[in-house]
Amino acid sequence: MESPTEVRIIGAGLAGSEAAWQCARRGVAAELFEMRPLRTTPAHQTDAFAELVCSNSLKSESVNTAPWLLKEEMRQAGSRLLEIARETAVPAGHALAVDRAEFSRQVTESISREPLITIRRKEVTEVENDPTTITIIATGPLTSDALSREIARLCTTVSDKSQLYFYDSISPIVEADSIDMDKVYLAARYDKGSADYINCPMSRDEYDRFYDALLAAQSVEQKDWEKLNYFESCLPIEEIARRGRDTLRFGPMKPVGLKDPRTGRIPYAAVQLRQENLRADSYNLVGFQNHLKFGEQARVLSLIPGLENARFLRYGQIHRNTYINSPALLTPTLQMKAHPQVLFAGQICGVEGYVESIATGLMAGANAAALATGSQPEPPPRATAFGSLLHYITRAESRNFQPANITFDLLPALDRKVRDRKERHRLQCELALREFAEWLRPSALQPTSAAP
Ligand SMILES: Cc1cc2nc3c(=O)[nH]c(=O)nc-3n(C[C@H](O)[C@H](O)[C@H](O)COP(=O)(O)OP(=O)(O)OC[C@H]3O[C@@H](n4cnc5c(N)ncnc54)[C@H](O)[C@@H]3O)c2cc1C
């Protein structure tokens, strides 16, 4: 039998290291490129693989939480990095936290010892685009500039629009049942289309109070390299507010065309909430990306009529992040639609977080190994955490695509209504694990050779 094609993996971070291991585990040789220490990123401090650049937490280990479910599926699928994380865990209550130095030391050692993985310490600036080379791009949120330019070229769609982004601007999300519906109303601007938006109307006094609180609120401190040149179309609300008392009323809080059906009048200002998911159990505050401390957001945003007791599922954020518009570019097997021999993994493919990055590395590695050995990779079932994450990054609305963590929001609803949230999550996990185990049995995730 012909020996399988080699897989090139760019970036030995969380995703790239796991991907290389998954290839080797299936008897497929991998060439793993890492630019550190020759060139480093603004956040990495060492030359070790899988360096955790900030917190040392791999999130909850509490049974029947969404991060636990994803880790449980990763364990079943043979994640090497998760195994090392558990071996290097430090006490952290219900979370899986690791000794970061020991974690990346063991990942580096484990990957370096593997005979089927060849390590190349160099910055990659070009992606081979011939059909016989399989490449996984796993260069993370701080991909080097030269490679970013190359990826931008690769990701330019027929409309000539590059689908590579350089920062996240995230609007806060609230739980639907925490909105005071007596104070808000449904309407579309100028009654165009269906009345899908929830509008929070403000009187002049309410607006002034909100405006003053916003200007006085504390922002997150930024490191020098994080300082962003904001696009005018995506300014944080506190920055818009600094430009004048009325600027917000001509921007994201514009009330024109939003007649309140209860009074027949247009309010002084309005905040619009847009449905976040099909279940309509969460809504995002349109255009409310901001850089305030989370506690400050809770305080200031609760001054919006209807949101006095809102429960926030996510706060607004703006941070540097290199990621592609996956819904426009990728299939659920993480292959590019236009170049199926090129796969993306880790933060750059539109997931957020350490565990999600390792998870997509695992999937991309297994899929690349399948391609290298002449099989067609298949995505995991939709009901699983893996399947839901991949479904989100490849099927979300591509116009406003934002990277995501694994949450129950991404999982499909059960086919019957279960009111109790804990019980609902327990049933979703039970279903996901059953379907994942069934899918694993004959799937590409089963290694063709024993782990070394
Ligand atoms: C400052 C910061 C803090 C974060 N904090 C957290 C956190 O606390 N918790 C959390 O869950 N997530 C956090 N994240 C998000 C994310 O989980 C991590 O960035 C995670 O490391 C992403 O994994 P990755 O494998 O995609 O990328 P990385 O782990 O960054 O790996 C990418 C690798 O590619 C290499 N590389 C880049 N360009 C090239 C090139 N041209 N050629 C060769 N090699 C290259 C880099 O040196 C790096 O080793 C943070 C992100 C940032 C930027």
Side-chain angles (χ1 to χ4, degrees), residues 165-350:
Y165 304 136
F166 294 98
Y167 69 92
D168 266 354
S169 79
I170 297 172
S171 295
I173 297 179
V174 292
E175 284 191 57
D177 63 5
S178 68
I179 302 168
D180 183 345
M181 295 306 284
D182 292 337
K183 298 203 172 155
V184 299
Y185 61 95
L186 292 171
R189 213 176 283 280
Y190 300 116
D191 291 329
K192 278 194 192 142
S194 51
D196 294 332
Y197 285 83
I198 292 180
N199 298 285
C200 308
M202 277 189 188
S203 65
R204 183 174 194 149
D205 281 354
E206 285 165 336
Y207 178 80
D208 282 343
R209 212 171 314 130
F210 172 79
Y211 178 82
D212 292 335
L214 179 61
L215 276 197
Q218 269 190 309
S219 293
V220 177
E221 274 169 40
Q222 284 171 277
K223 303 213 172 65
D224 272 353
W225 60 270
E226 279 181 315
K227 294 210 167 97
L228 299 157
N229 292 322
Y230 299 119
F231 287 140
E232 282 296 307
S233 61
C234 243
L235 289 173
I237 48 165
E238 66 276 19
E239 178 62 32
I240 301 176
R242 272 193 282 275
R243 297 182 175 190
R245 185 164 282 271
D246 282 331
T247 326
L248 280 172
R249 292 204 313 122
F250 290 95
M253 296 176 73
K254 186 167 63 181
V256 291
L258 291 176
K259 196 162 38 169
D260 186 340
R262 299 163 307 177
T263 61
R265 289 211 301 268
I266 305 268
Y268 187 72
V271 177
Q272 289 207 294
L273 309 185
R274 186 194 291 128
Q275 192 174 320
E276 180 65 23
N277 57 10
L278 282 176
R279 289 200 295 282
D281 55 10
S282 55
Y283 279 78
N284 68 63
L285 279 67
V286 179
F288 262 56
Q289 60 273 6
N290 70 81
H291 217 288
L292 303 181
K293 290 186 170 167
F294 287 177
E296 294 286 83
Q297 291 190 43
R299 187 173 61 77
V300 175
L301 299 178
S302 71
L303 296 175
I304 298 171
L307 301 190
E308 293 84 352
N309 297 307
R311 285 191 305 276
F312 285 87
L313 285 169
R314 181 178 86 180
Y315 285 106
Q317 289 173 49
I318 301 189
H319 63 85
R320 188 169 157 187
N321 189 11
T322 313
Y323 67 101
I324 59 169
N325 187 3
S326 307
L329 299 168
L330 298 186
T331 68
T333 49
L334 298 171
Q335 295 171 265
M336 287 191 82
K337 292 173 188 164
H339 311 285
Q341 78 287 5
V342 178
L343 296 87
F344 279 84
Q347 188 100 353
I348 197 167
C349 79

Side-chain angles (χ1 to χ4, degrees), residues 10-16 33-36 39-41 43-44 48-57 59 122-125 138-144 146-148 225-226 319-321 345-348 352-358 405:
I10 316 174
L14 294 170
F33 292 86
E34 172 52 54
M35 67 175 183
R36 289 174 294 124
R39 185 180 278 272
T40 190
T41 79
H44 287 83
F49 295 169
E51 181 182 329
L52 302 179
V53 287
C54 189
S55 108
N56 64 337
S57 169
K59 302 236 183 86
K122 80 175 255 212
E123 180 190 2
V124 176
T125 55
T139 42
L142 305 169
T143 297
S144 74
L147 188 64
S148 295
W225 60 270
E226 279 181 315
H319 63 85
R320 188 169 157 187
N321 189 11
Q347 188 100 353
I348 197 167
E352 174 79 34
Y354 296 152
V355 180
E356 291 80 351
S357 294
I358 300 172
N405 291 118

Side-chain angles (χ1 to χ4, degrees), residues 9-21 32-36 41 44 46-53 80-81 84 103-104 107-108 111 119-121 136-143 345-347 353-362:
I9 299 167
I10 316 174
L14 294 170
S17 301
E18 180 71 41
W21 175 267
L32 179 60
F33 292 86
E34 172 52 54
M35 67 175 183
R36 289 174 294 124
T41 79
H44 287 83
T46 73
D47 63 2
F49 295 169
E51 181 182 329
L52 302 179
V53 287
R80 179 67 182 128
L81 266 66
I84 295 176
F103 171 74
S104 39
V107 173
T108 311
I111 299 291
I119 292 160
R120 308 243 184 257
R121 296 274 184 177
I136 299 176
I137 301 175
T139 42
L142 305 169
T143 297
Q347 188 100 353
Y354 296 152
V355 180
E356 291 80 351
S357 294
I358 300 172
T360 48
L362 186 154

